[in-house]
Amino acid sequence: MTSIKDVAKAAGVSTATVSRVLANNAPIKAETRERVLEAVAQLNYRPNLIARSLRAQKSAKIGLVVSDIRNPFFTAIGRAVEDAAYEQGYSVLMCNTDENPEKEELYLNLLHDENVAGVIFSPTQQFSAASHSYNAKMPFVIIDRAVESKETDMVLLDNVSAAYELTTHLLENGYRKLAGLFGDASTTGQERSRGFHKALKDYQLNPVAAHFISPRIKQGYDTTIALLEGTNRPDAIFTSNSLLTAGAFQALRDKKISVPNEVALVGFDETTWSELVDPPITVIAQPTEEIGRTATELLFQRIQEPSRSPKTVILKGTLLVKGSSKKK
Amino acid sequence: MTSIKDVAKAAGVSTATVSRVLANNAPIKAETRERVLEAVAQLNYRPNLIARSLRAQKSAKIGLVVSDIRNPFFTAIGRAVEDAAYEQGYSVLMCNTDENPEKEELYLNLLHDENVAGVIFSPTQQFSAASHSYNAKMPFVIIDRAVESKETDMVLLDNVSAAYELTTHLLENGYRKLAGLFGDASTTGQERSRGFHKALKDYQLNPVAAHFISPRIKQGYDTTIALLEGTNRPDAIFTSNSLLTAGAFQALRDKKISVPNEVALVGFDETTWSELVDPPITVIAQPTEEIGRTATELLFQRIQEPSRSPKTVILKGTLLVKGSSKKK
DNA sequence: GGCAAAAGTGTAAACGATTACATTATTTAT
DNA sequence: ATAAATAATGTAATCGTTTACACTTTTGCC
């Protein structure tokens, strides 16, 4: 492998000069620079990033820690983060925690040991309490799920308002017997449940049901089946994430229930399928591209200026009204 | 930061001994080992992976290079790869090429410079020719798309057979005017087109149309609209990947065409939505979990034994017959 | 008991870059 | 013309490990 020494020799300069040309962090005579660059091209030299990282005590990598990249929300975030990082010459280490605090800790340690410049991170609930201890170790941006610590940069959705708006939409369209399915793995589910209840309260109603369940298609399916078979069948189902929405939709279809006439269905996240199904699903679309990009930018800012005072960016969701929530 | 020196001092041994205890690659007296481990725990020492990687000239990272992680096929692969890597203590660097050969080259170089142990890689067509030159640089496993070079490990689907089976299924169900939409970015599209044509030939039929287009929802939509508005309207549409399927499905719906009675629709890849829509889509399901896992295992084998003779694993797809391809 | 082999440990040289410090060459100001 | 300031470059230490080599101790065998 050709190293900086080879380049130095070929260009007739010291390794220091080569380094300075390449990192361009010092004045260099134009003629020398040219000679060095020539040698670099000639030898097809590529700096060893590991060595650079070791000596400079930093790297051009960031970590992305989410529960599961297969969740369309995180897929989109992941892509946006990767794009934003790429533009700055950074690459992204992808980590799936499966909502498992142990895996989460393992990955955070790993990222730390890998000397990543920073981490974009959607934490489990258990993590929240311990967040401050990690905070010191490396730059952090929390996405999607609030943590208690106020010392952390965050990019969040205004979940309460979004859920409130979505629920109100159901109520305005005449639905009265609402059931809510909320993911139990994150603070997101809790916040959305709060908006849900708040809207109902405005109408002086109680929910028919409100379940906190594991955010998986199967759980959404099972719970919906139970609701539909129960004595007090809801006329509208509110789901707090797209996996639950998918499960609920499947259950409604299998039970041959007409949506939205018998039962309405609403949820979060615009997915490929949410408008392909019949009827298309009314959802709160999250600005995933913007979340990912903002988080990455915030992270870069913190990397540059670690003592900068923390910023929380709260973005708004967009209500997309489709066929699943308006009686004909 | 506490380093190996601190541990050595605390345990009253040399750094070499500490290293040997931690990397477990030499005989150590039990008592010494214990003292070292105690010191490690005491100081909460974590080895610096960058330094290790520099000295040992290897790392516990692998690269995953695909066109777009948002494509459900690659999402699933990515997750499977990450899981398999995790089990071996490896982490995954995620790279999206957008079918852009320049981005592809940039990322491959980056991964090389990052000293990754190997790369799992779904190449663009342009890459195929140059593949051998990269082959020498680091261990490689190609997935999804064949390259010419026979010196590379590959994990592929038997695309010709799968497409043949899918097409034959349409023909057996009485469809005769078939149109094919194939992705133009990969060899996959070509192979699937071959299976498509082969099946038609067996029935002594010609396709109504066969288009190679950019693998995006929008192109699938536009092309399908054109087909439906054309003079020779097909009675069945074959799509070579899930994005084209989604586009075609949307077009059929917007044109209010009854599926499968007026026009059938079939495609590749089982997605969340493919069985949520009405009718559910008949597809060839790829064994994504197995592809990702096999690729990762192959990669580890090659990392361990670089001179091992290359292996190509060809997996079979599974035809899932749903409502979109059987006239009632 | 003696000798060879194996086990256990230490010393110091890598790995390939960056950078503090020293040094020399060139401007600039007077 | 000369001192002072600045630009340009080189020397060598450094980042935190692993590991070749050397050395000492223990074990096994006849």
Side-chain angles (χ1 to χ4, degrees):
Chain A
M1 205 64 268
T2 87
S3 83
I4 199 171
K5 281 187 193 166
D6 305 314
V7 177
K9 195 178 295 173
V13 297
S14 73
T15 61
T17 301
V18 176
S19 172
R20 284 192 269 253
V21 169
L22 263 40
N24 61 282
N25 52 3
I28 291 285
K29 220 202 309 193
E31 191 236 332
T32 316
R33 152 169 287 118
E34 207 168 314
R35 264 216 326 283
V36 169
L37 291 177
E38 225 164 75
V40 166
Q42 181 79 43
L43 299 174
N44 203 10
Y45 166 73
R46 305 186 51 83
N48 181 315
L49 299 184
I50 300 291
R52 173 178 291 174
S53 176
L54 175 60
R55 168 63 225 228
Q57 298 289 46
K58 62 186 175 188
S59 78
K61 281 172 295 183
I62 63 178
L64 174 66
V65 181
V66 299
S67 60
D68 188 348
I69 191 75
R70 286 173 303 191
N71 179 330
F73 172 68
F74 288 125
T75 311
I77 297 278
R79 185 58 217 264
V81 167
E82 208 252 359
D83 284 347
Y86 174 83
E87 283 167 19
Q88 306 285 328
Y90 279 63
S91 46
V92 177
L93 272 160
M94 167 182 89
C95 312
N96 297 298
T97 66
D98 289 319
E99 311 285 3
N100 176 350
E102 284 171 33
K103 243 182 136 184
E104 185 172 45
E105 191 186 344
L106 194 148
Y107 268 128
L108 289 176
N109 283 330
L110 176 78
L111 291 171
H112 173 256
D113 299 348
E114 280 282 359
N115 224 334
V116 295
V119 175
I120 293 175
F121 180 26
S122 175
T124 64
Q125 268 179 294
Q126 292 88 336
F127 178 81
S128 181
S131 62
H132 55 280
S133 85
Y134 280 93
N135 221 349
K137 288 184 143 189
M138 49 189 168
F140 254 88
V141 175
I142 298 286
I143 55 170
D144 186 46
R145 305 165 174 193
V147 298
E148 289 161 19
S149 160
K150 270 292 154 204
E151 296 152 40
T152 317
D153 291 302
M154 302 193 237
V155 181
L156 306 170
L157 192 78
D158 185 346
N159 283 307
V160 178
S161 301
Y164 180 87
E165 187 181 358
L166 188 55
T167 311
T168 301
H169 162 75
L170 286 173
L171 294 166
E172 282 173 350
N173 281 274
Y175 298 99
R176 285 295 174 270
K177 300 170 69 176
L178 310 201
L181 304 188
F182 308 99
D184 66 359
S186 66
T187 55
T188 313
Q190 291 167 17
E191 291 178 14
R192 292 177 187 171
S193 127
R194 222 176 305 144
F196 173 75
H197 283 98
K198 193 166 152 227
L200 281 166
K201 208 169 178 191
D202 283 1
Y203 275 70
Q204 297 175 315
L205 289 171
N206 282 319
V208 168
H211 296 292
F212 283 85
I213 57 181
S214 178
R216 300 159 171 283
I217 293 181
K218 181 160 187 348
Q219 321 304 318
Y221 181 87
D222 291 348
T223 309
T224 305
I225 292 283
L227 282 174
L228 296 174
E229 288 175 346
T231 54
N232 195 11
R233 180 197 273 191
D235 65 5
I237 299 178
F238 174 110
T239 55
S240 85
N241 75 57
S242 70
L243 300 174
L244 296 179
T245 317
F249 184 85
Q250 218 168 299
L252 288 163
R253 192 198 52 191
D254 288 0
K255 282 281 176 187
K256 304 212 192 315
I257 303 227
S258 146
V259 178
N261 292 325
E262 289 180 76
V263 177
L265 175 64
V266 299
F268 278 75
D269 294 336
E270 196 181 11
T271 61
T272 309
W273 62 269
S274 64
E275 43 185 326
L276 286 181
V277 296
D278 183 35
I281 313 289
T282 295
V283 294
I284 296 285
Q286 298 196 61
T288 50
E289 159 73 20
E290 195 181 351
I291 295 173
R293 185 159 290 276
T294 307
T296 312
E297 280 163 10
L298 239 48
L299 185 61
F300 285 138
Q301 287 174 24
R302 176 148 307 279
I303 288 167
Q304 266 195 282
E305 193 191 338
S307 64
R308 181 167 150 289
S309 74
K311 202 189 260 184
T312 295
V313 176
I314 297 191
L315 299 169
K316 290 276 176 195
T318 309
L319 175 63
L320 302 180
V321 176
K322 302 286 159 107
S324 73
S325 60
K326 291 172 78 174
K327 280 186 199 159
K328 285 156 208 161
Chain B
M1 207 65 266
T2 87
S3 82
I4 199 170
K5 282 187 191 164
D6 305 314
V7 177
K9 195 179 294 175
V13 297
S14 74
T15 61
T17 301
V18 177
S19 173
R20 285 193 268 252
V21 169
L22 264 40
N24 226 39
N25 52 2
I28 291 284
K29 217 195 320 185
E31 191 235 330
T32 316
R33 151 168 288 119
E34 207 169 313
R35 264 214 330 281
V36 169
L37 290 177
E38 224 164 75
V40 166
Q42 182 78 44
L43 299 174
N44 202 10
Y45 166 72
R46 306 186 49 84
N48 181 317
L49 298 184
I50 300 291
R52 173 178 291 174
S53 175
L54 176 60
R55 170 61 226 231
Q57 298 289 47
K58 62 186 175 187
S59 79
K61 281 171 295 182
I62 63 177
L64 174 65
V65 181
V66 299
S67 60
D68 189 347
I69 191 75
R70 285 173 303 190
N71 179 330
F73 172 70
F74 289 125
T75 311
I77 296 279
R79 185 56 216 265
V81 167
E82 208 253 358
D83 283 346
Y86 174 83
E87 284 167 20
Q88 307 286 327
Y90 279 63
S91 46
V92 178
L93 272 161
M94 166 182 90
C95 313
N96 297 298
T97 66
D98 289 319
E99 311 286 3
N100 175 349
E102 283 171 35
K103 245 184 134 181
E104 185 171 48
E105 190 185 345
L106 194 149
Y107 268 127
L108 289 176
N109 283 331
L110 177 78
L111 291 171
H112 173 257
D113 299 347
E114 280 283 358
N115 224 334
V116 296
V119 175
I120 293 174
F121 180 25
S122 175
T124 64
Q125 268 180 293
Q126 292 87 336
F127 178 82
S128 181
S131 62
H132 55 279
S133 86
Y134 278 93
N135 222 350
K137 288 185 142 189
M138 49 188 167
F140 254 90
V141 176
I142 297 287
I143 55 170
D144 186 46
R145 305 165 175 191
V147 298
E148 289 160 20
S149 159
K150 271 291 155 207
E151 295 152 39
T152 317
D153 291 303
M154 302 194 237
V155 181
L156 306 171
L157 192 78
D158 185 347
N159 283 306
V160 179
S161 301
Y164 181 88
E165 187 181 359
L166 189 54
T167 310
T168 301
H169 162 75
L170 285 174
L171 294 166
E172 282 172 350
N173 280 274
Y175 297 99
R176 285 294 175 270
K177 299 171 69 176
L178 310 201
L181 304 188
F182 308 98
D184 66 0
S186 66
T187 55
T188 313
Q190 291 168 15
E191 291 177 13
R192 292 176 187 172
S193 128
R194 223 177 305 145
F196 173 74
H197 282 99
K198 193 165 152 229
L200 280 167
K201 207 168 178 189
D202 283 1
Y203 276 69
Q204 297 176 316
L205 289 172
N206 281 318
V208 168
H211 296 292
F212 282 85
I213 58 181
S214 178
R216 299 160 170 282
I217 293 182
K218 180 159 188 349
Q219 320 304 318
Y221 181 86
D222 292 347
T223 309
T224 306
I225 292 283
L227 282 174
L228 297 174
E229 287 176 345
T231 53
N232 195 11
R233 181 197 273 188
D235 65 4
I237 299 178
F238 174 111
T239 55
S240 85
N241 76 56
S242 71
L243 300 174
L244 296 179
T245 318
F249 184 86
Q250 219 168 298
L252 288 163
R253 193 198 50 192
D254 287 0
K255 282 281 174 188
K256 304 210 191 317
I257 302 224
S258 148
V259 178
N261 292 326
E262 289 180 76
V263 178
L265 176 64
V266 299
F268 278 75
D269 292 337
E270 196 182 10
T271 61
T272 308
W273 62 269
S274 64
E275 45 184 326
L276 285 181
V277 296
D278 183 35
I281 313 289
T282 294
V283 294
I284 295 285
Q286 298 196 61
T288 50
E289 161 72 20
E290 195 181 350
I291 294 174
R293 186 159 289 276
T294 307
T296 312
E297 281 163 9
L298 239 48
L299 185 61
F300 284 138
Q301 287 174 25
R302 175 148 307 278
I303 289 167
Q304 265 195 284
E305 192 192 338
S307 63
R308 182 167 150 288
S309 73
K311 201 189 262 183
T312 294
V313 176
I314 297 192
L315 299 169
K316 290 277 177 197
T318 310
L319 175 63
L320 303 179
V321 176
K322 302 286 158 111
S324 72
S325 60
K326 291 172 78 173
K327 280 185 198 159
K328 284 157 210 161

